[in-house]
Amino acid sequence: MRTTAEFQGSVLNLRGVQVHSMEGSSMEQELDLFQKHVTERFLELSSVESGELLSLSWVRKLLDSLLSCQEEFRVILHNHRAQVSNHPPLDRMVGEFFERSVKALDVCNAIRDGVEQIRQWQKLLEIVICALDQKRSIGEGQFRRAKKALVDLAIGMLDDKESNSSGSIAHRNRSFGRNNNGSRDHHHSNNQHNSFGHFRSLSWSVSRNWSAARQLQAIGNNLSPPKANDIVATNGLALPIYTMSCILVFVMWALVAAIPCQDRGLGLHFSVPRQFLWAAPVVALHERIVEESKKRERKNTCGLLKEIHQIEKCARVINELADSLQFPLSEKKGEEVRQSVQDVSRVCEALKDGLDPMERQVREVFHRIVRSRTEGLDTHGRG
């Protein structure tokens, strides 16, 4: 058995620990490799330029990193399942991790709802592009159609901003894990008068009083680094459990920061001891995202996703342009319209390319959590 003193040189790695068997040596390498891979993934994520932070492409890389960490962590638990099963304090630590991960399922559902909401905004932007198509002459009628779509867009985005702060929103009924067609039909009939009400009725999957901020607090509740005697008692396995818990909390928080969802409070206290190699890039990313949320133009946004900011900017430019136009359009104004429509087209292309793959990744995170939880229960049952 390793002594507590042998671990006190570093909370993170086991390189300084005297190894008394080949099994211990291979396990040590396995755990060190996990820490190394987590660090590399988040160093790459933290090296992103400020303009690309919280873009769809960056969020997809973040989810890729989480999925890779999930799989590597699953393999570690599987390789040491005999030790995990009914061996305190390890069984308690693993159980606590699974409880945290199950609480992340609601966040996955809420993020999926947010993705669906962005899709509806994308459809309204496509109406604007179609109305102001440069292949035919643009008159007042086309601009009226574009303006109507922009008004609907503004209403939809304002509605989400209000739900971010109040949480008073219609009951949500769709989940990765269930399909409530009856509820969907009921909501459909009640919301025919409002396109956004109808869209929302098809997507919301968490209860009307659900709060992303409270859920994040619940996921991160009582998360503290393992003590030296716990590291000794678990032969080092307490370290990857703590690491994976922190990564899960951070990724869920970053998703809530980026994507529209109910009661998006970002005030989660996130503190990790600097002894962990991956702590520096994760804490740096947390600080950068918090700073982004404090910028004047982002303070009241319904999501910090780069593409949401671009939607808001494009809508504002076209609205201001529409208010200053006289028909027929002068050559200069026509060029301004063309440029604005191109900007909207670029945003739509980014959404087309990024939303579906991102939703598939969130779905995969959801199902991996469910599978890992089931495997964990099975292991404990056999033990």
Side-chain angles (χ1 to χ4, degrees):
M1 175 66 73
R2 300 171 181 177
T3 67
T4 302
E6 286 178 306
F7 281 102
Q8 287 178 338
S10 169
V11 176
L12 169 64
N13 66 59
L14 310 177
R15 287 192 180 89
V17 176
Q18 185 179 354
V19 178
H20 302 292
S21 68
M22 284 301 292
E23 182 186 357
S25 178
S26 64
M27 181 177 181
E28 183 179 327
Q29 291 171 6
E30 180 183 30
L31 300 188
D32 275 351
L33 199 59
F34 176 67
Q35 300 289 336
K36 180 174 179 285
H37 289 164
V38 172
T39 303
E40 289 171 349
R41 288 174 187 125
F42 280 86
L43 279 171
E44 183 181 354
L45 285 164
S46 66
S47 67
V48 67
E49 295 179 1
S50 59
E52 289 304 307
L53 181 67
L54 295 171
S55 63
L56 272 171
S57 61
W58 185 86
V59 173
R60 287 174 59 192
K61 287 178 185 174
L62 178 70
L63 287 164
D64 268 337
S65 296
L66 175 61
L67 288 165
S68 298
C69 292
Q70 277 183 313
E71 180 56 23
E72 202 167 343
F73 179 69
R74 185 195 68 79
V75 170
I76 289 172
L77 290 186
H78 179 76
N79 289 345
H80 305 285
R81 58 193 179 279
Q83 187 178 343
V84 168
S85 177
N86 294 328
H87 283 72
L90 193 54
D91 55 350
R92 172 182 57 79
M93 293 178 176
V94 171
E96 288 174 354
F97 169 76
F98 283 137
E99 287 307 308
R100 289 185 204 283
S101 63
V102 166
K103 289 171 184 172
L105 296 178
D106 261 355
V107 177
C108 292
N109 277 328
I111 295 303
R112 183 201 185 180
D113 298 337
V115 169
E116 182 62 25
Q117 195 64 30
I118 297 170
R119 282 201 186 97
Q120 307 315 320
W121 302 342
Q122 177 190 334
K123 289 177 182 177
L124 292 168
L125 290 178
E126 287 168 353
I127 292 173
V128 173
I129 294 169
C130 183
L132 304 181
D133 185 358
Q134 299 299 309
K135 292 174 185 173
R136 60 176 186 267
S137 62
I138 301 174
E140 290 185 64
Q142 285 85 0
F143 258 96
R144 276 197 299 271
R145 187 180 175 211
K147 283 277 285 184
K148 182 181 183 305
L150 290 173
V151 167
D152 286 345
L153 176 64
I155 291 169
M157 298 185 88
L158 181 63
D159 198 15
D160 262 302
K161 289 174 187 177
E162 289 172 353
S163 75
N164 288 339
S165 59
S166 69
S168 57
I169 193 170
H171 180 71
R172 304 178 177 189
N173 65 11
R174 191 175 69 176
S175 165
F176 290 121
R178 59 187 182 270
N179 182 12
N180 298 331
N181 290 322
S183 298
R184 185 177 302 179
D185 291 342
H186 170 73
H187 281 291
H188 177 89
S189 64
N190 286 342
N191 290 287
Q192 287 288 347
H193 68 283
N194 184 295
S195 61
F196 270 91
H198 171 53
F199 288 143
R200 309 190 88 183
S201 72
L202 298 183
S203 64
W204 301 131
S205 62
V206 290
S207 68
R208 62 173 58 86
N209 60 352
W210 185 85
S211 160
R214 286 198 301 271
Q215 196 73 6
L216 289 172
Q217 293 289 349
I219 297 169
N221 195 32
N222 296 323
L223 178 58
S224 56
K227 296 174 183 175
N229 59 330
D230 285 335
I231 299 173
V232 173
T234 61
N235 214 24
L237 286 169
L239 293 169
I241 294 170
Y242 174 70
T243 298
M244 195 64 229
S245 297
C246 288
I247 297 307
L248 180 72
V249 171
F250 172 74
V251 173
M252 292 299 123
W253 176 84
L255 288 173
V256 167
I259 306 296
C261 58
Q262 194 169 305
D263 191 21
R264 275 177 60 252
L266 302 183
L268 180 73
H269 179 65
F270 193 78
S271 176
V272 183
R274 292 285 180 174
Q275 298 99 308
F276 289 88
L277 296 178
W278 46 265
V282 171
V283 170
L285 280 169
H286 180 267
E287 290 172 353
R288 286 176 68 184
I289 292 170
V290 168
E291 285 305 308
E292 187 69 20
S293 72
K294 292 178 179 177
K295 289 182 179 178
R296 187 169 60 86
E297 68 274 19
R298 311 303 301 276
K299 268 189 175 181
N300 296 316
T301 187
C302 50
L304 294 176
L305 191 73
K306 173 189 172 184
E307 285 75 10
I308 290 177
H309 189 42
Q310 290 175 328
I311 290 172
E312 292 171 335
K313 284 168 64 177
C314 287
R316 185 168 61 250
V317 168
I318 292 181
N319 268 319
E320 290 172 356
L321 189 59
D323 291 340
S324 67
L325 291 180
Q326 290 184 335
F327 297 94
L329 292 180
S330 66
E331 188 175 331
K332 181 183 176 184
K333 286 295 183 182
E335 182 56 37
E336 287 183 41
V337 171
R338 274 190 291 275
Q339 184 59 55
S340 299
V341 172
Q342 285 174 7
D343 291 342
V344 175
S345 296
R346 279 192 286 271
V347 177
C348 282
E349 284 303 313
L351 296 174
K352 282 179 188 175
D353 293 341
L355 283 179
D356 284 354
M358 192 192 82
E359 184 181 24
R360 284 194 294 271
Q361 289 171 305
V362 175
R363 183 184 293 116
E364 182 59 24
V365 168
F366 181 101
H367 287 303
R368 286 210 191 166
I369 289 172
V370 172
R371 284 198 299 270
S372 295
R373 176 64 170 152
T374 304
E375 289 171 9
L377 289 171
D378 188 40
T379 299
H380 276 63
R382 284 203 302 271

